[in-house]
Amino acid sequence: MAMADTNPAQSQMKVSDEVAITITGMNKWYGQFHVLRDIDLTVQRGERIVICGPSGSGKSTLIRCINALEEHQQGSIVVDGVPLSSDLKNIDKIRSEVGMCFQHFNLFPHLTILENCTLAPIWVRKTPKKEAEETAMYFLEKVKIPDQANKYPGQLSGGQQQRVAIARSLCMKPRIMLFDEPTSALDPEMIKEVLDTMIQLAEEGMTMLCVTHEMGFARQVANRVIFMDAGQIVEQNAPEPFFTNPQNDRTKLFLSQILGH
Amino acid sequence: MAMADTNPAQSQMKVSDEVAITITGMNKWYGQFHVLRDIDLTVQRGERIVICGPSGSGKSTLIRCINALEEHQQGSIVVDGVPLSSDLKNIDKIRSEVGMCFQHFNLFPHLTILENCTLAPIWVRKTPKKEAEETAMYFLEKVKIPDQANKYPGQLSGGQQQRVAIARSLCMKPRIMLFDEPTSALDPEMIKEVLDTMIQLAEEGMTMLCVTHEMGFARQVANRVIFMDAGQIVEQNAPEPFFTNPQNDRTKLFLSQILGH
Amino acid sequence: DGHSGSTLATVQERGSLNCGVTTGVPGFAEPDSDGVWQGFDVAVCRAVAAGVLGDPTAVTFVPTTGKTRFTALASGEIDMLARNTTWTFSRDTDLKFDFVGVNYYDGQGFMVPADLGVSSATELDGATVCIQTGTTTELNLADFFRVNGMSYEPVPIETGAEAVQQYLAGACDVYTTDRSALAAQRAGFEDPDGSVILPEVVSKEPLGPLVRHGDSEWGDIVRWTLNALITAEELGVTKGNVEEMAAAPGDNPEINRLLGTEGELGAMIGLEADWAKNAIAAVGNYGEVFDTNIGESTAIGLARGLNAQYTDGGLIYSPPFR
Amino acid sequence: MSDTHAQSVAFVRKTEIPASPPPMAETGALKWVRENLFSGPFNTIMTLLGLLVIFYLLSGLIPWIVNGTWEGSNIQECRAILQGNGGGCFAVIADRWPQLLFGFQYPDYLRWRPTLAFLLLFAAVPPALFVMYLPRWTLIATAVYPFVAYWLIWGGTVLSPVLTAASLLAGYLVFQKVERRGFVLGLAAGIATAFVALTISGFITSAASGVLALELVESRAMGGFMLNMILGTVCVSLSIPLGILLALGRQSKLPIVKGFCVVFIEFVRGVPLITLLFVANVVLAYFLPPNANFDLIIRVIIMITMFSAAYIAEVIRGGLAALPKGQYEAADSLGLDYPQAMRLIILPQALKISIPGIVNVAVGLFKDTTLVSIISMFDLVGMIRGPILSSTQWVGVYWELWAAACVLFFIVCYGISQYSQWLERQLRTDHR
Amino acid sequence: MTTMTDPPQVEGFRIGQLINDTRYRSYTFQFIALVCLILGFSWLAYNASQNDQLQSNGFSYEFLYNPAGYDINQQPIPYTSQDTHLRATIIGAINTIIVAFLACVTATIFGVIAGVLRLSNNWIISKLMSVYVEMFRNIPVLIWIIIIFTVAANTFPPISEFRLPRDGSDPERGLLFGMFAATNQGVFVPRLVFADLGWIVAATFLASIAGVFGWKAHAKRKLYGEGKEVPVLGPSLAILLVPTIVVYFILGMPVSLENPEMGRFRFEGGFLLRPSLIALWFALSIYTGAFIAENVRAGILAISKGQSEAAAALGLRPGRIMSLVVLPQALRVIIPPLISQYLNITKNTSLAIAVGYMDLTGTLGGITLNQTGRALECILLLMLFYLTFSLAISAIMNVYNNSVKLKER
Ligand SMILES: Nc1ncnc2c1ncn2[C@@H]1O[C@H](COP(=O)(O)OP(=O)(O)OP(=O)(O)O)[C@@H](O)[C@H]1O
Ligand SMILES: Nc1ncnc2c1ncn2[C@@H]1O[C@H](COP(=O)(O)OP(=O)(O)OP(=O)(O)O)[C@@H](O)[C@H]1O
Ligand SMILES: [Mg+2]
Ligand SMILES: [Mg+2]
């Protein structure tokens, strides 16, 4: 599989040989419904992977399995050398390695922005409050909203909220970030703010798995694009060949739809 | 001012000399608030009028007065030769001549699509159920969703719901259709479906008053664009000169805003 | 096991007697305007407290309704029940209580407005009858009307106060309960003469204090406290002269045994020798208790009748102190 | 400007039309009266009927209130003063007011104590209810209040509330320390500490029962409106934590826990409160340790608390269900464990949503405390039905007494529900 | 690009997994919970076993078969004091159901009227209704029951005024229309007495009611089928009354009214609504009506204005808008809380004990309990009855809720 470095930004981002996530023969059912079928996927440290596919194809489910938000029934998931089992300690370890951003931000509306960001470091990592706040401010500056620190989420625009959500994840200093359609609930003007933040993160070498239909973003930062359909990985490739020369028919159809409109 | 037939669709649409609606010196207050001021407007049969203007300028109120959903306090409104008075018979007559589509569709959620469409014909027009259903299916086919006839509104997408709402109005065989921002509650993909339906209607020669900010639609089908501000009709003209060469400063400002983005 | 056999110890340890009384029947048990309980039944409680603890005020009065009284006693919430409760076979046996004696011989009667023109209960066919529920009254009433082949409309009412209220408002023609209570309540009417108590007595209602089965020591204490009051009247020991008689024992051995100046009666039931003296000093003898609370000189105005000493032709009779 | 003919002529406004006031018929009191009272024949009839009802009510009420007398020490004197002028004999209220409020057994020279406790309630409750407007430290008042109120109302040595509070505080502190190693461990350690401390302080109190002692008043002496207030506040405050536990249990994935909670909640909600009070009154004593001296008021508190906990649990369950699933997931993905997620994220939000519902339950419960009169406790209703109406001085005076009861309850319940509506409005705009 | 890795090794079981492993953890906690539960219950059971009163009395429902010995005034089924406690219990249960049913019906009527009127744009009426709702919602129902009972005893004319004076003069008051008398001992109304052929009249009347529904269905079919509007009100009345009246006269008036007649103390014959029933019935309905009014108001407000506007724009008249569009939707919102109000009424009927209405709490939980002293058994049975009743109603409610749930995507 060819890795075409078509993008100037991409050239700066290094992919190490270390393995960050290994998924082998993973299967998952919701009741009788087989949502994920024989997923095999290895993510290197520093890789940036975009996952796309039609609605209901299991993209979210895949991402959520990695974070143990959903249980899988067959196969193994190893994150940073830690196998995802039903052992709570392992789950805790993995969750503290992996940050996650949701479509609907899921900020805690009863806490200020700063409290949102310091909550997990204080309670999970047992960081002293002062230190946690400093870290939080650092990341809030990074997503360019340090001045909103004492507001409540309800007072922020959607784009700002999503950036806070990213900062909140970063405060736990994760080594891997998962994004589930982070821009799809946003108004067009705000999408750019969030994508910029994500690009910046990518440039710093964060390992990222991102479910998104923003093809511009995929082109600009992804090392690899994965296309899923009906719970299976149908095609994966570097962005350039993926977009210009899709192999599978489903992929072709899908790309014609989303690029067409 | 010349009517530039820039659009092929427009050339097919004929405007007769018959008068459909006459509004003279109409004033309306909400309590102390003067919401419509000295409105004078004559609509010919077959005319397609687009009303635009900033929020709160009284567009909805004007439309709703024509349908007697709101009372006006001064001036007269004559629809198809029937003066709008507090006489219930006249109101009934006018309402059966005039169909209306709302921003939020207002389908009846407890009835199926078909029942939504046959309700008024059966109970108001006393059409036999069978006949009403045939008519309904005819119009549902026209808006391209005959296969959804037995679903409930909650099971349809927004665009589909709005098309049902149009079909529902059409089932009463109105001679005039009023639209109040029919597309503003819709996702972008769905706007097109609805506008297509409306264009088709326009092509068939329906008299239409439409509050909308879809300037493409206005250009394509309107005979006349009316700009309202602060309860007054500020400017009216054929679409081409209206968009290319607005006269009033308020119009200019407004157009620069909505066309700019 | 649980709490039988040790009631005395419990009471002494607690330092007060839990005594179940009614929620308010004038003359028998009723808090006065200062909230201090007064009445004929209350006196029994106080006498026991005086005997056991030496202090007639060391009583916690627990108001009980017809429904709650037996459970309160059975569960140990109260140590004794002095609440005009009729001594019946099933209560004594099936419900597992011990009636320790009778402090008032009563009978169920009827009260009607004078202007109803009724002079006998046998004329009450078809009348509306207010009953204070939770006692044996319903059963007696049902039996009386059935035996006489009459019909009636029962109106059950939870509290005496409300029954009276309904009766006075004319919502029922007849009010039935124990004659003592009828008299007591009639005394409080605005126009006591507007009502008459009919001559029929439809039941035997020996009312007395009771305790739980199984703790005979405690039962003895209550029984003999009551008997002490009765004996005191018989022997002429009164609240006024009891101290004197105890200080200077006379030559009546029974009085001496009663007041603890002779013999070991107190020790036999686990109490001080002067327990009976204390009880009498606290409330007076039976006659005094009767007279001050319900006697003819009070508003209740009950005659001694059956409740006179056997020497005066009544039924009040105490076994000898010996 | 009639030149709006069709497409040929364009129209441009050159001059603004100024806003003008609406025509006379559209404004003023006249319009209001016409629109609101006489807008049609039906409406006119309704208005007249309404006026008739109001007239009828007032013509009965006003003379009764205006002509009423507050003098006299019994019904006869009262009647003599009124001389049949239709006025109310409010003297009964004047005469028995302390009994209505405190029952007939609470020593009259000690009545200042519950009164003071009641007044302090106004200092203690707002911090809990107005959490978001008052500084956090004011919550201390709320925390301290139960102990102060207990001491004031029941009396006894000051050591017992102080040491109890100290024990609970110690338990809490230990819990906080150990919690870092795990919530369950922390909870166990906290409870154990509190338990040990309570036992020790129990010994201390009984040894030094005279230290700074107020005169002891027995539970049985509680009565009147005070009893309603005590039952209401105690049971509501106890049932909120219990209700939270039940609601969480009912949401739990553990079948046994869930099953127990469901059965408990549905059982309690399925039977009338009065049967539970019967249980407290006539059955519960069998199931408690003999001689443990659980007096009636405590048994009643147990039952009413269970009762309202079941209802509150359902309200809180609604609040939990109303939270978007994303909140749970976000908490999980940040690595918070179940107790942390509940305490920090879920419950604060769910409780906030549930406040109006909880207040409704509280009002209902407060009204239901009158049922204790049926099991011969002398609350406000019990006082009126029993000692006051059966006393020879006031036999036959119902209206005035019941009116007083209505007024007391109305003031409290209406006040609480108005507050909750205000709170709802606040919450709707909160943080926006 | 995917690499196969070996699945994680199957590990042996460690004690730590009891707490740390999601698979075992739930068993651990449930085990602990179970132990606590069992401990709690055994503590209660132990205490009970220590109580010799309870021990020696045993636990048995034998007493239900013993004669009750007391009389009951309101007897929906025949009963004498010689019947068993069981029969008295059944009478109590029926009386509970009677008053609960009556109160549900009237509470709904009060509630709907007050709820709708509270939304009226007539200022006086809507304020009056607010006062009503707030008054009754904020004062305990027990107080209302007692107040209304007192009103009934003290403000209705005393029955003595209806009695025939012994001097042969006319009584102070007579029957209203010769049929009705509202007295402080209850309201006396006439009773229907069916002679031999009377049942035919009754059957005709029932058939007429069915006929009215039939006519309605016919009218709807006509409208749907041919677009013809058929009058409903007039024909319905005719169908309802005419056949019954005709049959009644043809058969020689086999149904008669038995009017109350004054006896020695009170009216004999006829039908008596006892003050306790009236107080409980009226108090529960007017109290619960206040709550239902709020539900109704909320239900109507929940239907957005857009719905009625859309219907109006289609040319539907206000009456039709209400019946075709607003009500069907509002009912979905109103009915669930309405049913829980019905449950509340049922539970609140237990306050009958305050006015001496002989419902289940009055018989089984009252006199039977007093007479037999079987507190545990009686109260258990009492709770079981209410529980069954409540659960049955909630089950029905759930079925209903599921059947009317709006279809969503
Ligand atoms: N909790 C659940 N129970 C049952 N089925 C579920 C559940 N969650 C998701 N599914 C189903 O699993 C399938 C995959 O869902 P998933 O959310 O992963 O899709 P997706 O690719 O993220 O789609 P989208 O682009 O719409 O977010 C869908 O068909 C969905 O209906
Ligand atoms: N029922 C009402 N009572 C009082 N004021 C009203 C009412 N309805 C509308 N208004 C006011 O009348 C003015 C005109 O309202 P209208 O809805 O006609 O505006 P619009 O031009 O349709 O605006 P938009 O583009 O936002 O729909 C607004 O200022 C609005 O606030
Ligand atoms: Mg998804
Ligand atoms: Mg508008």
Side-chain angles (χ1 to χ4, degrees), chain B residues 158-191:
Chain B
Q160 290 173 322
Q161 291 194 38
Q162 190 62 291
R163 282 184 282 157
V164 173
I166 295 176
R168 182 175 69 177
S169 301
L170 294 179
C171 285
M172 288 294 283
K173 310 233 171 96
R175 302 176 66 181
I176 303 167
M177 283 288 294
L178 308 176
F179 293 89
D180 190 0
E181 311 205 27
T183 57
S184 67
L186 297 180
D187 296 342
E189 320 100 80
M190 298 171 178
I191 293 180

Coordinates of all heavy atoms in Angstrom, one line a residue, chain B residues 158-191:
Chain B
G158 N -37.3 15.7 7.6 CA -37.9 17.1 7.6 C -38.4 17.4 6.2 O -39.5 18.0 6.0
G159 N -37.5 17.2 5.2 CA -37.9 17.5 3.8 C -39.1 16.8 3.4 O -40.0 17.4 2.8
Q160 N -39.2 15.5 3.7 CA -40.4 14.8 3.4 C -41.6 15.3 4.1 O -42.7 15.5 3.5 CB -40.2 13.3 3.7 CG -39.2 12.6 2.9 CD -38.9 11.2 3.4 OE1 -38.9 11.0 4.6 NE2 -38.7 10.3 2.4
Q161 N -41.5 15.7 5.3 CA -42.6 16.3 6.1 C -43.1 17.5 5.4 O -44.3 17.7 5.3 CB -42.2 16.5 7.5 CG -42.0 15.3 8.3 CD -41.9 15.6 9.8 OE1 -42.7 16.4 10.3 NE2 -41.0 14.9 10.5
Q162 N -42.2 18.4 5.0 CA -42.6 19.6 4.4 C -43.3 19.4 3.1 O -44.3 20.0 2.7 CB -41.4 20.6 4.2 CG -41.8 22.0 3.8 CD -42.6 22.7 4.8 OE1 -43.8 22.4 5.0 NE2 -42.0 23.7 5.5
R163 N -42.9 18.4 2.3 CA -43.6 18.1 1.1 C -45.0 17.5 1.4 O -45.9 17.8 0.7 CB -42.7 17.1 0.3 CG -41.6 17.8 -0.4 CD -40.8 16.9 -1.3 NE -39.9 16.0 -0.5 CZ -39.4 14.9 -0.9 NH1 -39.8 14.4 -2.1 NH2 -38.6 14.1 -0.2
V164 N -45.1 16.7 2.4 CA -46.4 16.3 2.8 C -47.3 17.5 3.1 O -48.5 17.5 2.7 CB -46.4 15.3 4.0 CG1 -47.8 15.0 4.5 CG2 -45.6 14.1 3.7
A165 N -46.7 18.4 3.9 CA -47.5 19.6 4.2 C -48.0 20.3 3.0 O -49.2 20.8 2.9 CB -46.7 20.6 5.1
I166 N -47.2 20.4 2.0 CA -47.6 21.0 0.7 C -48.7 20.2 0.1 O -49.8 20.7 -0.3 CB -46.4 21.2 -0.3 CG1 -45.4 22.2 0.4 CG2 -46.9 21.7 -1.6 CD1 -44.1 22.3 -0.5
A167 N -48.5 18.9 0.0 CA -49.5 18.0 -0.5 C -50.8 18.2 0.2 O -51.9 18.2 -0.4 CB -49.1 16.6 -0.5
R168 N -50.7 18.3 1.6 CA -51.9 18.4 2.4 C -52.7 19.6 2.0 O -54.0 19.6 1.9 CB -51.6 18.4 3.8 CG -52.7 18.5 4.8 CD -52.4 18.4 6.2 NE -51.6 19.6 6.6 CZ -51.2 19.8 7.9 NH1 -51.4 18.9 8.8 NH2 -50.6 20.9 8.2
S169 N -52.0 20.8 1.8 CA -52.7 22.0 1.4 C -53.3 21.8 0.0 O -54.5 22.2 -0.2 CB -51.7 23.2 1.3 OG -51.2 23.4 2.6
L170 N -52.6 21.2 -0.9 CA -53.1 21.0 -2.2 C -54.3 20.2 -2.3 O -55.2 20.4 -3.2 CB -52.0 20.4 -3.1 CG -50.7 21.3 -3.3 CD1 -49.7 20.6 -4.2 CD2 -51.1 22.7 -4.0
C171 N -54.5 19.3 -1.4 CA -55.6 18.4 -1.4 C -56.9 19.2 -1.3 O -58.0 18.7 -1.7 CB -55.6 17.4 -0.3 SG -54.4 16.1 -0.6
M172 N -56.8 20.4 -0.7 CA -58.0 21.2 -0.6 C -58.2 22.0 -1.9 O -59.1 22.9 -2.0 CB -57.9 22.2 0.6 CG -58.0 21.5 1.9 SD -59.6 20.8 2.2 CE -60.5 22.3 2.6
K173 N -57.4 21.7 -2.9 CA -57.5 22.4 -4.2 C -57.6 23.9 -4.0 O -58.6 24.5 -4.5 CB -58.7 21.9 -5.0 CG -58.8 20.3 -5.0 CD -58.9 19.8 -6.4 CE -58.7 18.3 -6.5 NZ -60.0 17.6 -6.5
P174 N -56.7 24.5 -3.4 CA -56.7 25.9 -3.2 C -56.4 26.7 -4.5 O -55.7 26.1 -5.4 CB -55.7 26.2 -2.1 CG -54.6 25.1 -2.4 CD -55.4 23.9 -2.9
R175 N -56.8 27.9 -4.6 CA -56.4 28.6 -5.8 C -55.2 29.5 -5.5 O -54.6 30.1 -6.4 CB -57.6 29.5 -6.3 CG -58.8 28.5 -6.6 CD -60.0 29.3 -7.0 NE -59.8 30.0 -8.3 CZ -60.8 30.7 -8.8 NH1 -61.9 30.9 -8.2 NH2 -60.5 31.3 -10.0
I176 N -54.9 29.7 -4.3 CA -53.8 30.5 -3.8 C -53.0 29.7 -2.8 O -53.6 29.1 -1.9 CB -54.3 31.8 -3.2 CG1 -55.2 32.6 -4.2 CG2 -53.1 32.7 -2.7 CD1 -55.9 33.7 -3.6
M177 N -51.7 29.8 -2.9 CA -50.9 29.1 -1.8 C -50.0 30.2 -1.1 O -49.4 31.0 -1.7 CB -50.0 28.0 -2.4 CG -50.6 26.7 -2.8 SD -51.1 25.7 -1.4 CE -49.6 25.3 -0.6
L178 N -50.0 30.1 0.2 CA -49.2 30.9 1.0 C -48.1 30.1 1.6 O -48.3 29.0 2.2 CB -49.9 31.6 2.2 CG -51.2 32.3 1.7 CD1 -51.9 32.8 3.0 CD2 -50.9 33.5 0.8
F179 N -46.8 30.5 1.5 CA -45.7 29.8 2.2 C -45.0 30.7 3.2 O -44.7 31.8 2.8 CB -44.7 29.3 1.1 CG -45.2 28.3 0.2 CD1 -45.9 28.7 -1.0 CD2 -45.1 27.0 0.4 CE1 -46.4 27.8 -1.9 CE2 -45.6 26.0 -0.5 CZ -46.2 26.4 -1.6
D180 N -44.8 30.2 4.4 CA -44.1 31.0 5.4 C -42.8 30.3 5.7 O -42.7 29.4 6.5 CB -45.0 31.2 6.6 CG -44.3 32.2 7.6 OD1 -43.3 32.8 7.2 OD2 -44.9 32.5 8.6
E181 N -41.7 30.8 5.0 CA -40.4 30.2 5.2 C -40.4 28.7 5.2 O -40.0 28.1 6.2 CB -39.8 30.7 6.5 CG -39.9 32.2 6.6 CD -38.8 32.8 7.5 OE1 -37.7 32.2 7.6 OE2 -39.1 33.9 8.1
P182 N -40.9 28.1 4.1 CA -41.1 26.7 4.1 C -39.8 25.9 4.3 O -39.8 24.7 4.6 CB -41.7 26.4 2.8 CG -41.3 27.5 1.9 CD -41.2 28.7 2.8
T183 N -38.7 26.5 4.0 CA -37.4 25.7 4.0 C -36.5 26.0 5.1 O -35.4 25.4 5.3 CB -36.6 25.9 2.7 OG1 -36.4 27.3 2.5 CG2 -37.4 25.4 1.5
S184 N -36.9 27.0 5.9 CA -35.8 27.5 6.9 C -35.6 26.5 8.0 O -34.6 26.7 8.7 CB -36.2 28.9 7.4 OG -37.3 28.8 8.2
A185 N -36.5 25.5 8.2 CA -36.2 24.6 9.3 C -35.6 23.3 8.8 O -35.5 22.4 9.5 CB -37.5 24.3 10.0
L186 N -35.1 23.4 7.6 CA -34.6 22.1 6.9 C -33.1 22.1 6.8 O -32.5 23.1 6.8 CB -35.3 22.0 5.6 CG -36.8 21.9 5.5 CD1 -37.3 21.7 4.1 CD2 -37.2 20.7 6.3
D187 N -32.6 20.8 6.8 CA -31.2 20.6 6.5 C -31.0 20.9 5.0 O -31.9 20.8 4.2 CB -30.8 19.2 6.7 CG -31.0 18.8 8.2 OD1 -31.0 19.7 9.0 OD2 -31.0 17.6 8.5
P188 N -29.7 21.4 4.7 CA -29.4 21.8 3.3 C -29.9 20.8 2.3 O -30.5 21.2 1.3 CB -27.9 22.0 3.3 CG -27.6 22.3 4.7 CD -28.6 21.6 5.6
E189 N -29.6 19.5 2.5 CA -29.9 18.5 1.4 C -31.4 18.5 1.1 O -31.9 18.2 0.0 CB -29.6 17.1 1.7 CG -28.3 16.9 2.4 CD -28.5 16.7 3.9 OE1 -28.9 15.6 4.3 OE2 -28.3 17.6 4.7
M190 N -32.2 18.8 2.2 CA -33.6 18.7 2.0 C -34.3 19.9 1.4 O -35.4 19.9 0.9 CB -34.3 18.4 3.4 CG -33.7 17.1 3.9 SD -34.2 16.8 5.6 CE -33.4 15.2 5.8
I191 N -33.6 21.0 1.5 CA -34.1 22.3 1.0 C -34.4 22.1 -0.5 O -35.5 22.5 -1.0 CB -33.1 23.4 1.2 CG1 -33.0 23.7 2.7 CG2 -33.6 24.7 0.4 CD1 -32.1 24.8 3.0

